[in-house]
Amino acid sequence: MNKESDMNKKIVYMGTPQYAKEILDTLIEAEDMEVSLVLTQPDRPVGRKKVLTPPPVKIVAEENGIQVLQPNRLSDEGIEDAIKNAKPDFIVVAAFGQILPKSILDIAPCINLHASLLPQYRGASPVQQSLLNGDEKTGVTSMLMEEGLDTGPMLEKVEFVIPDEMRLHALMQQLTDDACDLTLSTLRNYENITPQTQNESLATLCKKIKKSHGEVDFEDATVIYNKYRAFEGWPGIFASNGTKFDGVSLVDTISKNSVLEILAFEEESVLLGCRTGVLKIESLQPASKKAMSAKSYCVGRGLKVGDIIV
């Protein structure tokens, strides 16, 4: 190994989804970083046909000739030794999905890239939570990991002001881009950064999203619109009978209406009343059927202004 490569920061990387994959791409492309070992989750069955599919991080690592380990648990035999043998300067973690035991935390500084402004939104779904709460801003925090869940000292943050109409996928991509930049900044400036203890009194915890969270009651238009933004892709938003709503926009946040009353038609869309506020709906999809324009849905069922849509 030449002198220049001796100066590179040696990285063991842990991550699983697309967010983590793009951070790994960034580390591989950086001339002053050397990723020698990648840990990710085991391949999982995906789709109706349950096709065994590797995590995005594994695909990138193998394309670049980097050793990949896929332990069910980090306590599995040989995992700790493999990390030690890599002699990392840093262990970088992004959406890995497992808590690191103290024996691994002690090997090298473990830096996590968490997609929220800690101590807010520790846990599994920070990006969705920021949208559900209608937050004006979110961001990414680099932090030193300890044995708790996202409780370690903060290193650096980057903030992002969320546009009112931005949904999950676009926000996730923005935060992924920011996390890539923040990863390099934190690793390159690590010696000059003073870790900041998190204020426990401000800490909030968010859990994994379940399909049932997508059911909406049309009580409050703002709440429903924020769910629509947060649950893009999955689980989406749907009524108690399984009818899905898409192409949703917020028309009014204060008027009082009958729940699910058809207030007007606008081209192929329909304006629906909520107990508080009004939503514009472009398409509906009855359970086990194809999606259709909101107007077609109503015409097919003989529904007119003043009727309840489901």
Side-chain angles (χ1 to χ4, degrees):
M1 191 175 288
N2 59 36
K3 289 185 178 180
E4 184 177 340
S5 60
D6 281 341
M7 296 173 63
N8 289 352
K9 292 177 173 61
K10 296 178 181 178
I11 308 295
V12 167
Y13 186 75
M14 301 182 183
T16 299
Q18 185 67 23
Y19 170 76
K21 176 258 182 194
E22 294 195 30
I23 295 173
L24 177 57
D25 276 330
T26 298
L27 288 169
I28 290 170
E29 291 169 5
E31 293 182 356
D32 56 343
M33 304 291 162
E34 181 183 334
V35 182
S36 58
L37 177 64
V38 165
L39 290 89
T40 189
Q41 296 286 353
D43 297 1
R44 306 286 190 201
V46 172
R48 291 183 179 179
K49 295 185 178 180
K50 303 296 182 185
V51 178
L52 199 61
T53 304
V57 162
K58 177 183 179 180
I59 295 171
V60 169
E62 290 186 337
E63 286 174 350
N64 287 274
I66 300 170
Q67 181 186 2
V68 178
L69 299 176
Q70 295 177 274
N72 287 303
R73 295 178 181 273
L74 289 171
S75 57
D76 288 355
E77 185 177 352
I79 297 301
E80 182 183 330
D81 287 342
I83 297 172
K84 285 180 177 176
N85 291 339
K87 295 181 170 57
D89 295 310
F90 297 99
I91 298 171
V92 178
V93 183
F96 178 54
Q98 295 187 37
I99 298 291
L100 274 60
K102 187 175 188 303
S103 59
I104 290 177
L105 292 170
D106 288 343
I107 294 172
C110 296
I111 297 176
N112 179 235
L113 283 303
H114 187 70
S116 79
L117 298 174
L118 289 171
Q120 191 177 48
Y121 308 143
R122 296 171 179 173
S125 56
V127 184
Q128 290 95 328
Q129 202 65 49
S130 65
L131 291 170
L132 287 171
N133 289 346
D135 292 344
E136 291 184 4
K137 66 180 181 180
T138 184
V140 182
T141 305
S142 59
M143 56 167 282
L144 272 175
M145 299 178 73
E146 54 184 31
E147 291 183 86
L149 179 63
D150 302 326
T151 57
M154 301 174 294
L155 299 171
E156 292 185 302
K157 290 183 180 181
V158 59
E159 295 187 355
F160 175 71
V161 176
I162 309 171
D164 290 341
E165 296 181 359
M166 181 171 273
R167 298 173 65 193
L168 178 64
H169 293 169
L171 180 55
M172 194 69 239
Q173 186 59 58
Q174 175 67 49
L175 296 180
T176 299
D177 294 343
D178 290 343
C180 291
D181 294 338
L182 187 63
T183 301
L184 295 181
S185 172
T186 298
L187 294 178
R188 287 169 177 164
N189 299 311
Y190 181 75
E191 299 300 329
N192 300 316
I193 297 171
T194 302
Q196 301 292 319
T197 302
Q198 294 188 42
N199 184 341
E200 289 296 321
S201 69
L202 300 177
T204 56
L205 181 66
C206 52
K207 298 180 180 180
K208 285 185 177 180
I209 303 298
K210 299 179 181 179
K211 184 176 181 180
S212 59
H213 293 159
E215 183 174 331
V216 291
D217 55 14
F218 281 79
E219 289 291 319
D220 188 307
T222 301
V223 170
I224 295 165
Y225 180 61
N226 286 339
K227 278 194 171 190
Y228 173 71
R229 298 166 68 206
F231 297 155
E232 181 182 17
W234 188 88
I237 61 168
F238 48 88
S240 57
N241 69 352
T243 299
K244 295 180 180 179
F245 303 91
D246 205 354
V248 179
S249 53
L250 193 57
V251 175
D252 164 30
T253 62
I254 58 175
S255 66
K256 303 298 180 182
N257 308 282
S258 297
V259 171
L260 287 169
E261 179 184 356
I262 299 172
L263 301 177
F265 291 99
E266 285 189 3
E267 297 180 349
E268 293 299 310
S269 301
V270 62
L271 300 189
L272 285 185
C274 302
R275 191 85 63 196
T276 302
V278 177
L279 293 169
K280 182 179 178 180
I281 311 290
E282 292 179 3
S283 72
L284 291 92
Q285 183 177 3
S288 303
K289 295 186 178 180
K290 291 183 178 180
M292 63 190 79
S293 74
K295 185 176 181 180
S296 296
Y297 175 93
C298 293
V299 169
R301 288 159 179 74
L303 299 172
K304 57 187 185 300
V305 172
D307 290 339
I308 304 301
I309 199 166
V310 294

